[in-house]
Amino acid sequence: MSNLRTLFLGVSAAALLAGAAFAKSDITVALQLEPPHLDPTSAAAGAIDSVLYSNVFEGLTRFMADGSVVPGLAESWEISADGLSYTFKLRAGVTFHDGTAMDADDVKFSLDRARAEDSTNAQKALYAGITDVMVVDPMNVKLTLAEANGSMLFNLAWGDAVIVAPESIENIKQMPVGTGAFKFVNWVQGDKIELARNDSYWGAAPALETATFKFISDSTAAFAAVMAQDVDVFAGFPAPENLPQFEADPRFQVLVGSSEGETILSTNNKMPPFDNIKVRKALAHAIDRQAIIDGALFGYGTPIGTHFAPHNPDYVDLTAMSAFDPAKSKALLAEAGLPDGFETTLHLPPPSYARRGGEIIAAQLAEVGIKAEIINVEWAQWLETVFRGKTFGLTVISHTEPFDIGIYARPDYYFQYDNPEFQALMTKLNATADPAMRSDMIAQAQTTISQDYVNGYLFQLAFPTVADAKVQGLWENAPTQATDLTGVSWSN
C-alpha cells in the first residue's frame, strides 16, 4: 500500500510539474536597442515601438503580422463620399491602465497634439492634412481633412498615432499609460523594461501574465544569452553568422522574416559636396551592396535600388541604376571637380548592420578617394546630431516604418532632399484611391529618388528571430517595428 501511495504521489507530482510547465506565463524578450524614452508620439526611435506598440499603446487602427490594417480602438468608421471626413465609432468599455475611461476627448487630444504646430511627433507630416478633430459624442469622433487622403487609415495605424490621455502625458516618457493588453511596470535603464497583463483589457486576454524586455547591444553577448536560455526570444537577432547553429539545435526555432527596413547610406543633401548630384551618384557607384550583405549580414538581406520594400507588389527593381562601378565613381568625382576625392563623416548607430556595414562601406569609399571618418554614436546621440541636428555627412540607418517613401517629400527631413516635383507627386498620390493609378505613381516616386541619387540604397533588412522552440505566436515578419506579445503563448 505504501508503495502504491508513493507511486500515486509521484505521478501526482509529475502531473503538477507538467501542468506548471504547460501553464508557463512569463517571457523574457531580448532586443538590441533600448528606447531613449517611452513616448512613441514624440520621437523617431523605432526602439520605442519595439517594446510598446500594441502591447501598451493602441491607435484607432493597427497593423497585423501580415501588414494589413484592421480596427483598433475604433471598432468601425465611415468615410464621406468626397473622402474629406472620417467618422470613427470607438469601442465601448475601454479604459487606460490608470482606470480612466478612453473616449473621444482622448482621441481629439492625441491627434491634435500630433499635428500641432509645436509637435515633436516624428511623423507629424502624416497628420498635417487633418484640419479638424471633432468630438461628436463620447463614443464618436470625426476627422476633417483638407483634401482626400487614401492613406489615412494606414497612417493612423503607426505608433506615432496611438491614443494617449492628457492626465498622463506629463510623465509619459518614463511612465507610459496606454490602453493595451499589457501595463508598464518598471524600467531599469540600461537593462530591462517589465510589463504585466492588463486584467481590465477590452479585448481578448493575452496568455502571458508578465513580459520582460532585456536590452543586449553586443552581438557576442546576444549569442551567449540565447544559447544559455537566459532569454526566451531575441527579436531582430544581431549576429546572423550564428543562425545556422541555432537552427541545428532542437531547443530553438529560427524565424527569418522580411522587414520594412530599407537600409540606406543616408546622405546630407544640403552639405557640400553632397549637394552635387554627380557626387551622390559617385557615392552610389562606389558601393558593392552584395559585399556588404555578405560581409556584415552573412547573406541575410535583399539588395535595393530605391527606398521601397521588395516584397511590396509595387516595388520596382532599380539596382542597376547604381551598380557597383568604381571606375565610373572616380570619373564622376573628377567631373564634379574632386579628382582627388574628399573627406566626410560617417555616423554609425549601434545596430550591427550599421557598425559592421559601415566599416565595409568606409573601405569601399576609400577605394575611390572618399575618406569617411567613422563616428560610432549611441542611439540618443544619433537622434540629436543626425536626425535633429543634421550635422553629418553620411550615416547608415534602416528605416523600419512601413510605406515611408513619403519622407522624401519633406525638405526639412534629416537628409534634406528638396524636390518640388516629387512633393507634388506625393500630394497627388495621397489624394488618389484608384489602385492602378496609385501603382503608377508609386513606381514614378521610386524612380525619381533613384535617379536623383538622394541616398545610397543598400538592402532590405532581414528580420531574424531566435526563440525557444516552445514559444508560439511570434510575428515572423516585421510590417512595423513591433514585438507584439498579445498573441504569444507557450506550448507544452
Side-chain angles (χ1 to χ4, degrees):
M1 181 68 74
S2 61
N3 288 339
L4 286 174
R5 184 171 182 273
T6 301
L7 177 63
F8 174 78
L9 289 173
V11 171
S12 298
L16 285 171
L17 287 172
F22 180 79
K24 184 170 181 179
S25 59
D26 65 292
I27 198 166
T28 299
V29 178
L31 302 172
Q32 190 177 25
L33 292 181
E34 181 176 17
H37 60 74
L38 304 180
D39 178 10
T41 66
S42 66
I48 304 173
D49 280 350
S50 290
V51 176
L52 302 180
Y53 186 88
S54 183
N55 296 326
V56 173
F57 286 116
E58 300 173 303
L60 293 175
T61 58
R62 61 157 293 177
F63 293 114
M64 296 299 286
D66 61 358
S68 60
V69 176
V70 300
L73 293 178
E75 67 178 23
S76 63
W77 49 81
E78 293 182 2
I79 306 173
S80 63
D82 59 8
L84 294 179
S85 70
Y86 287 65
T87 302
F88 293 91
K89 181 180 180 182
L90 305 181
R91 295 187 187 275
V94 178
T95 58
F96 287 101
H97 298 148
D98 60 5
T100 59
M102 191 286 297
D103 60 21
D105 286 325
D106 298 304
V107 175
K108 177 176 174 57
F109 169 78
S110 300
L111 297 182
D112 283 349
R113 177 172 172 264
R115 66 191 184 91
E117 186 175 343
D118 61 351
S119 169
T120 57
N121 191 297
Q123 302 303 331
K124 176 181 174 180
L126 296 181
Y127 316 111
I130 300 173
T131 59
D132 183 57
V133 182
M134 183 180 75
V135 174
V136 178
D137 60 47
M139 300 311 296
N140 289 275
V141 62
K142 180 180 179 181
L143 275 59
T144 302
L145 311 183
E147 54 191 20
N149 186 340
S151 301
M152 185 51 65
L153 295 175
F154 184 92
N155 295 347
L156 291 171
W158 286 47
D160 306 82
V162 295
I163 304 306
V164 296
E167 294 85 358
S168 62
I169 206 68
E170 184 177 348
N171 298 315
I172 189 174
K173 291 186 175 182
Q174 291 76 38
M175 295 284 293
V177 177
T179 58
F182 294 91
K183 299 187 292 186
F184 170 79
V185 175
N186 185 39
W187 181 15
V188 180
Q189 294 194 18
D191 182 19
K192 63 185 177 181
I193 290 175
E194 296 170 312
L195 308 179
R197 184 163 63 195
N198 173 19
D199 291 330
S200 299
Y201 185 54
W202 59 266
L208 299 172
E209 291 182 5
T210 61
T212 301
F213 285 88
K214 295 277 290 183
F215 306 107
I216 305 173
S217 60
D218 179 74
S219 298
T220 303
F223 172 76
V226 177
M227 188 58 70
Q229 295 185 292
D230 292 334
V231 299
D232 303 311
V233 177
F234 204 121
F237 187 74
E241 67 273 21
N242 297 138
L243 294 180
Q245 188 170 346
F246 289 118
E247 288 174 330
D249 191 325
R251 296 179 298 160
F252 303 108
Q253 57 179 310
V254 176
L255 308 174
V256 181
S258 62
S259 79
E260 289 293 328
E262 293 86 13
T263 307
I264 61 176
L265 178 62
S266 195
T267 308
N268 192 335
N269 280 238
K270 282 193 175 180
M271 175 183 284
F274 301 121
D275 54 350
N276 185 332
I277 190 174
K278 289 184 178 180
V279 173
R280 298 196 303 272
K281 189 173 181 180
L283 195 74
H285 286 297
I287 297 168
D288 184 347
R289 296 184 187 91
Q290 197 58 51
I292 300 167
I293 293 170
D294 292 341
L297 303 173
F298 293 81
Y300 292 95
T302 306
I304 56 173
T306 187
H307 197 112
F308 212 73
H311 57 255
N312 191 299
D314 288 323
Y315 174 72
V316 180
D317 185 356
L318 297 167
T319 50
M321 289 187 62
S322 50
F324 178 52
D325 190 340
K328 188 172 185 177
S329 179
K330 290 179 181 179
L332 284 163
L333 287 174
E335 289 177 26
L338 297 165
D340 299 322
F342 61 93
E343 296 182 1
T344 188
T345 58
L346 177 58
H347 286 68
L348 301 178
S352 52
Y353 70 78
R355 295 277 170 91
R356 293 177 175 183
E359 295 281 352
I360 297 170
I361 290 169
Q364 292 176 352
L365 296 181
E367 290 294 317
V368 300
I370 301 173
K371 302 172 187 66
E373 177 194 358
I374 290 178
I375 302 174
N376 289 331
V377 293
E378 295 307 309
W379 187 239
Q381 292 174 287
W382 189 92
L383 289 170
E384 186 62 32
T385 58
V386 177
F387 189 78
R388 286 190 286 268
K390 305 178 180 68
T391 54
F392 75 105
L394 301 170
T395 187
V396 177
I397 192 70
S398 188
H399 282 257
T400 55
E401 298 84 2
F403 193 78
D404 60 350
I405 196 169
I407 59 180
Y408 288 77
R410 306 179 197 172
D412 60 344
Y413 202 63
Y414 78 100
F415 45 69
Q416 301 187 91
Y417 171 60
D418 191 354
N419 182 337
E421 291 182 2
F422 185 87
Q423 294 156 25
L425 175 64
M426 296 310 294
T427 298
K428 185 178 179 182
L429 174 66
N430 284 336
T432 301
D434 180 79
M437 292 177 64
R438 285 181 61 86
S439 290
D440 288 344
M441 284 185 274
I442 291 169
Q444 185 181 341
Q446 293 175 66
T447 304
T448 298
I449 62 172
S450 184
Q451 290 175 336
D452 281 353
Y453 297 91
V454 183
N455 293 307
Y457 302 106
L458 303 176
F459 52 84
Q460 197 72 16
L461 195 64
F463 189 75
T465 295
V466 182
D468 187 293
K470 293 184 177 181
V471 176
Q472 55 192 14
L474 293 166
W475 283 14
E476 179 172 344
N477 299 314
T480 189
Q481 196 158 331
T483 314
D484 188 339
L485 298 179
T486 58
V488 171
S489 62
W490 289 86
S491 66
N492 189 6

